[in-house]
Every structure is written in structure tokens, then in C-alpha cells.
Amino acid sequence: MKALITGVTGQDGSYLAELLLNKGYDVVGMVRRSSTEPFDRIRHIRDRIDIRQADLLDQLSMISVIEDVKPDELYNLAAQSFVPTSWDQPVLTAEFDALGVTRLLEAVRLINRKIRFYQASSSEMFGRVQEVPQTEKTPFHPRSPYGVAKVYGHFITVNYRESYDIHASSGILFNHESPRRGLEFVTRTVTDGAARVKLGLATDLALGNLDARRDWGYAGDYVEAMWRMMQQDQPDNYVVATGVNHSVADLVRTAFERVDLDWHDYVKTDPRFVRPAEVDTLLGDASHAKARLSWEPHTSFEELVHMMVDADMERLRGAAPRL
């Protein structure tokens, strides 16, 4: 089997590439042309992955790479995925997260409709939630340009499935984190911040809304669900979540407790980090994925936060001042 992964250098792409390699796949990663190679997350498996250059903004490049690679499965994980940036760059976010999906699906339609396609949808599509918990049937009410673009990407995937009989599935993944998560995301901001305070590299940590609640899981668990979707006889949409949510304050407390600190002494709120339109709570019901895919999350919230804090402590120890 051969898989093409867009966004292979990201958090999810790196875990998915590992999983597929362990299952005996030939893995091809699609990356944008860059003057530097951002391969830190896949450095340990770089020699086992075929890297091809293409761009979600360039239809011809995607047609060319799909024609050349001839994948059995195509996982679209590439996106402008940082929600705050979507307010600063809403048009670019739409180009990548909405029209980029369309360009990929159009390439599949033109070249080989037997390619199985995975679209990375997002719990941010639910936004101002219409019910708790959220399922595959919960109406969407996105609260950011990112969420709006993801709704388009989600429904264009459904449209190509129904219009052209393409095996196209969407994974509506709730927040999923790891030590490979970018430092700009709140989970890494918190775990990196806790480690820096503990090691004497910082004196405090500024955050936005501490009351927002999210259903946080481990990215390494969630890529297994992606693969299982591609093995089904029929494509579908699946919520992938733990079914438990926590506040940002819970995240902060758990991270600082890991390094034996009281977070109240170091964390302050800063209005600069509050979203223009907040998503107050997200909580997923993954019953459909559990029933159809036999998928279960294995990593608890506490285990996830501890894993991330420990990794940040290890990474930063060399930079710590001598006391």
C-alpha cells in the first residue's frame, strides 16, 4: 500500500507517517517549497519517507504529484491550523483550508476516483455549540475564519463523496496534542511555560481565557482513527474525541503540578490573547467511531499533559541557568 500525506511535517503528519510505516506502507509526504527544510518532527524517519513538493494553492502541482505517486490512500492534513492567525489572515486560511481541499479532491476526481481520501475536519466547526456533547449530526456554528473554512472543506468532501462515488471520509477531530505540537498552541504554551518557570528561564506565563473548555486527546491515538476510516468499505464522517473536557485552568494546574509549582503564583491573564469570538466549550461523542472503527483513546488528559511537560523540561534543561 502507498499513502500520500499532505502536511507530513506537522504534528499529525509525523505520527501518521510513523503509524503507516509500521504497517508496511510506502509513505510519500507532500511539502511546500521552502528555502529551509522544516523536518524536525520527521527527522527520525526522514530516510524512510519519499518527500515531494507541491502546494494546496497550486492545482497543477497536486495533479502532477498524484499522477506520479499513484497513492492508494491520500490523507489531507495540510492546513493553516492556528485559529488566532485565521483572523489576521482570513483569505489565506480559506485558500488552504477550504479551496485547497477542493483542489485535492478535483485532482483525485480527474486522476483516479479509487484513491481513498481522508479530510482533517475540526471540532472548531461546532463553534457556538448547539448541543453537548457534539456528534456527527450536531449543526455547525463556527466562530472563527478557521472554523468557517473547515466547514467548507468538510462539506466539499461530503459533496465529492456523494457526487463522484469517491471514498472520502472526514475525521472531525477534537483537540489533540503531543510534545510535537507547535509552541503557538495553548497546550504547548502552557507546558513550555511551566518548564521555563521551573528551570528559571521565565518568571511568569501570560494566557487568555482560562475558562474555555476543550476535549483534549493525544495525537498519537487519533492518527489510528484516521487509518481505520480508510479501511472501511464505505466512507463516512467520524467524531474523534475522548468524551471528557477540561478548562484551560485545569490544563495549567496539571502542568504546574507536574513540576511541583502552584500555578496561581506565576500565571496571569492578558486580554491580548482573548479571541474576538470565543468557543466556550467543546465536548465530543465518539460513539460512532468506537462502534464502526473499534477505536478507543488510550491516553488520559493527565498522562498527556505530563508527557508534554516532561518533554519540554528535557528540551530546555540545556538552556537553564546554573543556580
Side-chain angles (χ1 to χ4, degrees):
M1 294 289 286
K2 182 179 288 186
L4 175 62
I5 305 173
T6 74
V8 72
T9 59
Q11 170 189 255
D12 292 8
S14 66
Y15 282 110
L16 179 62
E18 282 179 356
L19 176 76
L20 296 180
L21 287 169
N22 289 336
K23 291 182 180 296
Y25 278 66
D26 291 332
V27 176
V28 182
M30 193 184 97
V31 300
R32 301 181 70 199
R33 174 73 179 90
S34 174
S35 58
T36 59
E37 292 192 342
F39 293 161
D40 288 349
R41 295 183 181 94
I42 59 170
R43 195 171 304 283
H44 60 297
I45 52 174
R46 175 64 183 86
D47 60 346
R48 301 171 62 194
I49 300 175
D50 182 8
I51 297 293
R52 304 295 181 93
Q53 290 185 354
D55 197 313
L56 290 181
L57 304 185
D58 180 10
Q59 179 79 71
L60 184 58
S61 71
M62 287 186 287
I63 290 173
S64 297
V65 76
I66 292 172
E67 280 185 329
D68 189 40
V69 171
K70 297 178 175 59
D72 300 291
E73 299 170 0
L74 198 170
Y75 296 84
N76 181 35
L77 308 185
Q80 192 300 100
S81 59
F82 188 45
V83 175
T85 295
S86 73
W87 275 287
D88 296 329
Q89 298 180 310
V91 176
L92 183 65
T93 299
E95 286 285 354
F96 279 118
D97 298 2
L99 295 182
V101 185
T102 313
R103 295 184 188 105
L104 264 182
L105 284 164
E106 219 10 42
V108 170
R109 182 185 72 83
L110 292 169
I111 296 165
N112 179 7
R113 299 184 190 184
K114 298 300 182 185
I115 295 171
R116 297 194 170 194
F117 181 87
Y118 171 82
Q119 167 60 13
S121 290
S122 168
S123 60
E124 288 287 329
M125 300 188 304
F126 295 117
R128 181 181 285 169
V129 298
Q130 307 299 295
E131 62 182 3
V132 179
Q134 295 86 56
T135 73
E136 294 81 5
K137 299 184 184 302
T138 301
F140 299 135
H141 188 141
R143 297 270 282 170
S144 67
Y146 169 80
V148 173
K150 279 294 187 178
V151 169
Y152 179 104
H154 177 80
F155 277 124
I156 200 68
T157 300
V158 173
N159 184 256
Y160 270 69
R161 176 203 306 165
E162 296 176 349
S163 301
Y164 303 115
D165 195 30
I166 293 172
H167 192 294
S169 291
S170 282
I172 307 173
L173 271 60
F174 281 63
N175 295 67
H176 48 290
E177 316 298 326
S178 76
R180 300 179 193 174
R181 178 54 99 184
L183 285 166
E184 69 273 21
F185 289 82
V186 67
T187 47
R188 275 300 303 286
T189 297
V190 168
T191 61
D192 175 79
R196 287 181 180 276
V197 169
K198 180 65 175 179
L199 294 171
L201 297 171
T203 57
D204 56 29
L205 174 63
L207 296 170
N209 181 11
L210 297 179
D211 296 323
R213 300 186 68 86
R214 294 292 183 271
D215 184 330
W216 277 298
Y218 173 46
D221 291 341
Y222 284 27
V223 296
E224 174 78 24
M226 299 178 190
W227 174 78
R228 292 189 180 215
M229 291 177 210
M230 296 293 92
Q231 313 316 307
Q232 303 304 303
D233 292 336
Q234 299 298 323
D236 206 346
N237 305 324
Y238 296 91
V239 163
V240 179
T242 69
V244 180
N245 69 5
H246 296 85
S247 67
V248 175
D250 293 335
L251 168 69
V252 173
R253 174 184 52 77
T254 305
F256 275 78
E257 283 180 353
R258 183 63 172 176
V259 292
D260 299 317
L261 296 175
D262 183 343
W263 69 274
H264 295 94
D265 297 333
Y266 304 99
V267 176
K268 60 184 181 182
T269 57
D270 188 327
R272 292 178 302 161
F273 301 126
V274 176
R275 295 180 179 185
E278 182 60 85
V279 175
D280 295 317
T281 185
L282 292 172
L283 178 64
D285 179 353
S287 298
H288 184 48
K290 292 176 181 179
R292 284 276 299 276
L293 307 178
S294 299
W295 175 85
E296 292 274 357
H298 300 296
T299 308
S300 71
F301 172 75
E302 289 76 15
E303 290 169 336
L304 171 63
V305 176
H306 292 173
M307 176 198 313
M308 295 175 66
V309 171
D310 292 350
D312 281 323
M313 286 289 291
E314 183 64 27
R315 177 179 58 88
L316 291 168
R317 273 199 175 96
R322 296 193 177 187
L323 302 178

